[in-house]
Amino acid sequence: MTRLPPRPKLSWKEDGTPADDGVGDVYFSRHDGLEETRAVFLQGCGLPERWLARPNFTVAELGFGTGLNFLAAWQLWQQTRNPHQWLHFVSFEGFPLDAEDARRALAAWPELRTFSDKLIDAWPERAFGVQRIVWPEDRITLTLHTGDICETLPQSELHADAWFLDGFSPTKNERMWSEALWPHVRERCREGALLATFTVAGGVRRGLSAAGFEVEKKPGFGRKRERLEVRAPADIDRPADSHGLRPMGQAPQQVRIIGAGIAGACAARILLDRGIAVEVIDAAPGPAKAASGNPLALVMPRLDAGDTVQARLLVDAYLAARRFFAGRPGAWETTVAHRPKDEKEAERISKVLADPPLGLENLEALAGGGLLHKGALILQPDVLLPSLLEGADCRFHTRLEPEGLEDDIPTILATGHSAGAFMKWLDIEGRLGQVECVETEVDAPASATASGDYAIALGRRRVWGATFERWEGGSIEESETARASNMDALDALAPYWWHEARKGQVTSRASVRATTPDRLPLIGRLPDYERAIDVFDGVRHGQSPKDDAPLAGHLLIAGGFGSRGFTWGPWAGEILAGLVLDEPAPATQSALRAVSPMRQVLRRLKRGG
């Protein structure tokens, strides 16, 4: 199985209707597809009336296709919503279309052009996993799960107010209508959610009824005599949440963030765009004074050879970062020439190229070995971070002690390696990293090269490094040893400007990056450690966790980013926004568990701690 999602076997009818010959069905009727969407799905789910009284409303859909249902919902949303509401649209797709094919299909409806142009411009990348697109000006998010529905639906984390069941015909696409899916749909409903579909197939009706839904036939649209309207039960049993993945509940009016580095700034921007008041507290005199404060930063993917949970979440985080930073002040698109640093990495890169997780529009082979990453980013933190914090109530030169967290304001710890001062049980350590910087006489376009170390050029500024040494605490100081190591690395990476760099006044910058034993970040709600140890005591004896994780109420964390803070930051911010504001998660359950702080408690218990 390839690591890229399969494309549909697309063909076009004489009237311009798109069809998937692999399933033998059309995506919609060119003549009345939009009206069918409005009648079957929007009206069938009681929209817009049902979203008018709610600050947040979530629509979920089986079968994204061309995005027509999403666009119809978006148009209705803009026509009817209140100023402070948000719509979250979550969709599942196994055979994603290319952007230009979607553009061609949607051209049949010029009345949707305003919305379809925005969607096509931000069209999701061809990749397995979860991608989120946010349009803050329209107060709408699209979260797309790409992959086999029997894998993606059970791995999703959401509670929907409405469901559009819109796969191809049940007789031609049995997997999308499998009876085994309906209990998963039920678990992902809010109490009393409404579902709608165009089909009245007996297997679908029986499967929904068996899963506890109330199923009712209604007059159909066009040539279809009947359709279904379905209501979720008033009480829904949910599986135990041993990792604390569920949202906090009612959305607050204010959120506090401790730390004005990239983790805190990304979370602040995302929450501010959702209309939440944000207070940012930092002991430093301004933003990005610690590990986020290098003169330049590089965002490039870390692509693993295997198709693991970690490999997929690394791709998800990279795509989220690229989408979030693109077009912002201090962000420059570039390509990165990535050469293998040793034989082991050369073997990994060779495997990645043989079965890539991203398409050729994102990466290609380099002559002589290595990868060319297209669409990577060079960032200027001193420009970028202040822009992300615009609108936040920033309190610098302020230190908040652990006892200051005892109120009920949702609080995000984005304090890097010092998070352990607030939660002493956290397994988090510091790594001392040093980079070298110089201003040259040569004005260069944005460019970067990497091979274990990296070298970045932007205008007259050059930055290279970085070391990654164990830090035992104490003062943070630059060292001649680290500088010599970085100069040797530069000589290997970029000999064409090594001599130019030596002509200038080279300065060093050292900072401490927070990391964890498994090299994955800590993102999510913080557990109540003492209670968790008691509740999950059976894990010491080989029992699986069967209870909800006891949580520390209003406390969350974004940290342990290591040397990839600018890659993790936007993805982490969206996850935290989902937890604080009761939104669908922009990640799979496996990914959320892999980065959950609760994993450290469970791991400690499994090891007899």
Side-chain angles (χ1 to χ4, degrees):
M1 178 179 174
T2 177
R3 292 173 68 192
L4 285 174
R7 288 188 171 96
K9 295 180 180 178
L10 197 65
S11 66
W12 301 87
K13 303 296 184 183
E14 290 185 2
D15 65 355
T17 300
D20 184 346
D21 292 340
V23 231
D25 204 353
V26 294
Y27 281 86
F28 47 70
S29 166
R30 184 178 177 88
H31 301 292
D32 56 14
L34 179 56
E35 288 307 314
E36 183 176 25
T37 287
R38 288 168 174 159
V40 173
F41 297 114
L42 298 179
Q43 295 175 27
C45 287
L47 304 177
E49 292 79 13
R50 291 184 61 239
W51 66 37
L52 293 179
R54 305 189 188 186
N56 291 323
F57 195 89
T58 297
V59 175
E61 173 190 52
L62 297 183
F64 185 69
T66 64
L68 178 61
N69 293 340
F70 169 63
L71 294 173
W74 190 351
Q75 182 188 52
L76 184 64
W77 175 253
Q78 285 302 96
Q79 293 170 347
T80 61
R81 72 171 176 86
N82 295 319
H84 304 297
Q85 290 181 294
W86 269 88
L87 177 65
H88 301 284
F89 197 98
V90 183
S91 194
F92 297 82
E93 178 58 55
F95 295 79
L97 287 167
D98 289 335
E100 288 309 308
D101 289 326
R103 187 190 302 277
R104 178 179 173 182
L106 294 169
W109 292 288
E111 63 194 279
L112 295 178
R113 182 71 179 271
T114 299
F115 307 100
S116 61
D117 281 352
K118 289 183 180 182
L119 174 60
I120 299 300
D121 287 346
W123 194 255
E125 297 288 340
R126 185 181 173 214
F128 284 117
V130 187
Q131 296 180 57
R132 169 163 289 173
I133 308 170
V134 185
W135 291 273
E137 69 281 4
D138 291 343
R139 303 181 71 82
I140 190 169
T141 68
L142 168 64
T143 304
L144 184 64
H145 294 253
T146 302
D148 187 317
I149 187 63
C150 296
E151 298 175 5
T152 56
L153 180 60
Q155 278 289 316
S156 62
E157 185 68 29
L158 70 139
H159 297 141
D161 302 286
W163 276 89
F164 299 171
L165 309 180
D166 192 30
F168 289 119
S169 167
T171 60
K172 300 178 179 181
N173 189 19
E174 294 180 3
R175 203 164 179 81
M176 181 67 82
W177 301 93
S178 167
E179 185 174 346
L181 294 180
W182 304 130
H184 296 296
V185 170
R186 171 177 166 158
E187 288 174 1
R188 286 154 183 80
C189 287
R190 293 196 195 279
E191 288 74 6
L194 297 185
L195 299 77
T197 183
F198 60 87
T199 183
V200 292
V204 174
R205 288 186 284 113
R206 289 190 294 272
L208 287 167
S209 296
F213 292 99
E214 298 176 14
V215 181
E216 185 178 1
K217 290 182 180 180
K218 293 287 186 177
F221 178 84
R223 291 175 295 176
K224 296 174 183 174
R225 294 194 323 170
E226 295 175 309
R227 59 184 174 85
L228 294 183
E229 290 185 7
V230 184
R231 182 176 295 276
D235 296 314
I236 298 177
D237 296 328
R238 310 206 189 269
D241 177 21
S242 61
H243 282 72
L245 307 186
R246 292 205 183 115
M248 301 174 73
Q250 186 174 0
Q253 294 184 338
Q254 178 186 356
V255 174
R256 177 193 294 127
I257 299 173
I258 306 175
I262 189 60
C266 287
R269 181 73 270 145
I270 290 165
L271 289 165
L272 287 163
D273 286 346
R274 300 286 207 274
I276 304 299
V278 175
E279 176 188 53
V280 178
I281 298 173
D282 200 303
K289 299 302 181 185
S292 302
N294 288 341
L296 297 174
L298 180 63
V299 174
M300 61 176 281
R302 167 63 164 84
L303 303 179
D304 286 347
D307 189 17
T308 63
V309 171
Q310 179 172 342
R312 287 200 181 187
L313 67 87
L314 283 164
V315 171
D316 285 356
Y318 168 66
L319 294 178
R322 199 168 70 175
R323 189 180 296 279
F324 179 79
F325 292 128
R328 294 188 185 274
W332 302 78
E333 185 173 322
T334 190
T335 58
V336 181
H338 180 196
R339 302 287 184 182
K341 63 182 178 180
D342 52 33
E343 290 185 6
K344 183 178 180 180
E345 187 171 49
E347 182 180 356
R348 176 176 66 83
I349 288 175
S350 177
K351 290 180 179 178
V352 166
L353 286 169
D355 189 13
L358 293 171
L360 290 177
E361 66 277 10
N362 289 293
L363 59 91
E364 64 183 59
L366 280 174
L371 281 169
L372 183 68
H373 297 290
K374 296 178 281 188
L377 294 170
I378 292 174
L379 305 176
Q380 296 173 279
D382 60 343
V383 175
L384 174 66
L385 268 73
S387 73
L388 295 179
L389 292 169
E390 285 182 7
D393 177 15
C394 294
R395 295 168 52 194
F396 297 113
H397 298 286
T398 303
R399 187 178 300 277
L400 189 65
E401 301 300 330
E403 54 270 19
L405 304 179
E406 294 175 358
D407 56 28
D408 292 329
I409 298 174
T411 300
I412 297 169
L413 300 183
T415 55
H417 65 87
S418 62
F422 293 90
M423 296 286 160
K424 298 187 183 300
W425 58 268
L426 283 172
D427 199 353
I428 192 166
E429 60 185 31
R431 293 282 178 159
L432 187 63
Q434 182 170 312
V435 298
E436 315 305 321
C437 325
V438 71
E439 295 287 330
T440 74
E441 297 180 359
V442 179
D443 200 342
S447 62
T449 184
S451 180
D453 299 283
Y454 60 81
I456 312 173
L458 182 65
R460 296 185 177 182
R461 184 173 289 180
R462 309 286 186 270
V463 175
W464 66 96
T467 59
F468 198 70
E469 307 168 56
R470 190 170 184 84
W471 181 68
E472 302 295 346
S475 61
I476 302 171
E477 298 179 352
E478 297 81 14
S479 78
E480 288 300 322
T481 302
R483 176 180 285 201
S485 175
N486 285 335
M487 291 303 292
D488 289 343
L490 177 63
D491 190 22
L493 280 169
Y496 48 89
W497 55 265
W498 180 82
H499 293 287
E500 186 68 25
R502 289 180 66 88
K503 294 177 185 177
Q505 182 64 44
V506 177
T507 60
S508 301
R509 185 177 190 277
S511 58
V512 174
R513 292 92 168 262
T515 188
T516 63
D518 60 10
R519 297 295 181 264
L520 287 176
L522 295 163
I523 305 169
R525 300 181 67 179
L526 282 161
D528 182 322
Y529 180 74
E530 297 300 332
R531 288 176 55 217
I533 290 291
D534 182 55
V535 168
F536 292 108
D537 182 68
V539 173
R540 301 181 199 264
H541 312 292
Q543 299 176 17
S544 298
K546 298 178 181 178
D547 298 289
D548 289 344
L551 298 169
H554 59 286
L555 297 180
L556 308 95
I557 189 171
F561 291 175
S563 59
R564 295 184 175 273
F566 287 85
T567 300
W568 289 121
W571 189 68
E574 283 290 342
I575 290 173
L576 296 178
L579 291 170
V580 171
L581 304 178
D582 195 7
E583 299 176 354
T588 65
Q589 289 183 353
S590 293
L592 294 169
R593 292 189 189 105
V595 301
S596 165
M598 187 63 197
R599 78 182 190 271
Q600 293 195 339
V601 179
L602 294 173
R603 188 170 298 156
R604 193 167 300 171
L605 288 169
K606 289 176 183 178
R607 294 173 179 173

